[in-house]
Amino acid sequence: MSRVFNFSAGPAALPTEVLEQLRDEMLDWRGQGMSVMEMSHRGKAFVGIAEQAEADLRELLAVPSDYRVLFLQGGATGQFAAIPLNMTRPDSVADYVNTGAWSKKAIAEAKRYCRVHVAADAGGRYTAVPEFGSWSLTPGAAYLHYTPNETIGGVEFPFVPETGDVPLVADMSSTILSRPVDVSRFGVIYAGAQKNIGPAGLVVVIVREDLLGRARSDVPTVFDWQAMAADGSMLNTPATYSWYVAGAVFQWVKRQGGLAAMERLNRAKAEALYAAIDDSGYYRNPVEPGCRSWMNVPFTLPDPELDKPFLEGAKAAGLVALAGHRSVGGMRASLYNAMPMAGVQALVDYMRDFQSRHG
């Protein structure tokens, strides 16, 4: 069976080269006589895997020395709670920017632990990012949280907010490793693994050291960043296999030329697909052009009745996971790092063919 082009928003496609490596190492990792998933997380072999993964991620993102890198469990959703539990008291005010579905989830969770002030809300159908000058920021807020890329709506920030002394917290689940980023502008970056990092079951948290040690006394230990940092993310048994796969992906990204190369490829993929949509007079993307995501491209057909035949034809052509999120419908193509340009071109060709037959 040949592999399909998988446009899933997550769990997403992994690079074929990485999958082949995992296959070859499945039963015997480098002479150990066992799979990585069978290893003790305290053993020399896995500790080496973990340390190399962190070193490679630090190199790729140019993480400053005064930041800690944590490999945790609970996904990005777990961090929706961990962030206020580590950075606020019940009477603290935390600023949030609402640009869509994942921002809303983060806001709802934070409200359980602190006072949330929505500093900006894109409102309506969430097809743009609010102008920064219109934001209502709280002086002395515990932090400002935003979602640089909304996976469901396909809305992406074209800028990094300036927050002064207020720590900036970003959910980069959908954009991490897709291009260079200046980590020093952020207090906390967190990202679920299942898009550009590896399989589900892992979340990466990059936190500035001066923000550690602020957790509430009743925070669960596995969500206490300082406790996890003190034990190398191994206070409990970590998601060892996901961590190992993440390390293999980091090395793959390095072999591709690093994040500068990823940026060039991802920009080209997105531009090709958006051009096909905009030039068609048939398909439509609802997001304002200046706020369009490189990673998640939603689009609709002229008639929702055409959605089913479009998806059936796409599957027959080896193009899968194109259905839009159940909350918005239509189509969505996710173009994470592992999606090659050939996959985007195959989708564009199929879209043109479908239009010629149904337009």
Side-chain angles (χ1 to χ4, degrees):
M1 176 181 176
S2 60
R3 282 180 58 77
V4 297
F5 289 119
N6 178 9
F7 293 91
S8 173
L14 286 166
T16 300
E17 186 179 318
V18 170
L19 290 172
E20 291 171 343
Q21 175 187 340
L22 305 182
R23 175 200 62 200
D24 294 343
E25 295 179 344
M26 176 59 72
L27 299 181
D28 180 7
W29 183 83
R30 304 182 188 181
Q32 294 293 309
M34 67 179 82
S35 172
V36 172
M37 70 178 68
E38 301 172 291
M39 291 178 179
S40 166
H41 63 294
R42 300 291 186 185
K44 181 179 179 181
F46 184 76
V47 168
I49 290 171
E51 290 177 345
Q52 186 62 57
E54 178 177 342
D56 288 335
L57 182 58
R58 282 183 172 276
E59 179 182 343
L60 285 167
L61 288 170
V63 177
S65 60
D66 60 336
Y67 283 71
R68 299 301 296 270
V69 177
L70 309 178
F71 292 83
L72 308 178
Q73 299 170 63
T77 300
Q79 294 304 307
F80 292 168
I83 289 160
L85 287 172
N86 278 274
M87 299 183 70
T88 71
R89 296 292 178 262
D91 62 347
S92 299
V93 176
D95 283 351
Y96 278 73
V97 180
N98 182 10
T99 49
W102 289 106
S103 299
K104 290 179 183 178
K105 290 179 182 290
I107 289 168
E109 188 71 5
K111 284 181 176 179
R112 301 175 62 190
Y113 305 105
C114 68
R115 295 164 56 200
V116 169
H117 170 64
V118 179
D121 193 326
R125 297 177 59 219
Y126 294 97
T127 57
V129 170
E131 290 284 344
F132 185 64
S134 69
W135 295 15
S136 172
L137 300 174
T138 304
Y143 58 85
L144 171 70
H145 178 285
Y146 83 119
T147 307
N149 183 88
E150 287 283 357
T151 314
I152 292 174
V155 175
E156 183 173 297
F157 274 74
F159 61 90
V160 175
E162 293 286 352
T163 58
D165 293 333
V166 174
L168 181 60
V169 178
D171 176 0
M172 289 195 182
S173 296
S174 296
T175 55
I176 197 167
L177 300 183
S178 66
R179 70 206 78 177
V181 60
D182 184 356
V183 174
S184 69
R185 297 185 66 179
F186 299 85
V188 180
I189 292 171
Y190 66 104
Q194 66 274 16
K195 302 174 189 295
N196 268 337
I197 293 177
L202 184 74
V203 57
V204 172
V205 178
I206 303 171
V207 54
R208 203 171 63 221
E209 287 184 343
D210 68 299
L211 299 176
L212 297 175
R214 304 185 183 189
R216 303 180 190 188
S217 60
D218 60 349
V219 64
T221 307
V222 294
F223 285 145
D224 185 331
W225 294 336
Q226 184 178 50
M228 296 302 285
D231 215 347
S233 301
M234 295 188 190
L235 187 148
N236 65 326
T237 304
T240 53
Y241 199 77
S242 294
W243 196 339
Y244 152 70
V245 178
V249 171
F250 300 156
Q251 292 183 3
W252 174 82
V253 173
K254 289 173 63 176
R255 291 195 296 273
Q256 307 316 300
L259 299 191
M262 289 293 100
E263 178 178 30
R264 289 191 294 272
L265 175 61
N266 289 324
R267 185 189 296 274
K269 290 186 298 185
E271 288 177 348
L273 182 52
Y274 282 120
I277 294 168
D278 293 341
D279 295 345
S280 69
Y282 185 79
Y283 302 101
R284 180 177 179 273
N285 173 269
V287 181
E288 289 188 10
C291 302
R292 286 176 166 180
S293 169
W294 290 7
M295 297 285 98
N296 310 103
V297 183
F299 61 93
T300 56
L301 283 72
D303 184 348
E305 294 296 320
L306 292 170
D307 288 1
K308 184 177 180 180
F310 181 93
L311 291 169
E312 290 174 345
K315 183 177 181 180
L319 310 169
V320 304
L322 283 165
H325 190 270
R326 60 186 178 277
S327 65
V328 297
M331 306 297 150
R332 175 178 54 176
S334 292
L335 311 180
Y336 300 124
N337 286 351
M339 175 58 62
M341 180 59 83
V344 177
Q345 189 58 55
L347 174 58
V348 168
D349 291 344
Y350 170 72
M351 291 167 65
R352 289 171 176 159
D353 177 69
F354 186 90
Q355 179 178 353
S356 70
R357 290 184 287 110
H358 297 272

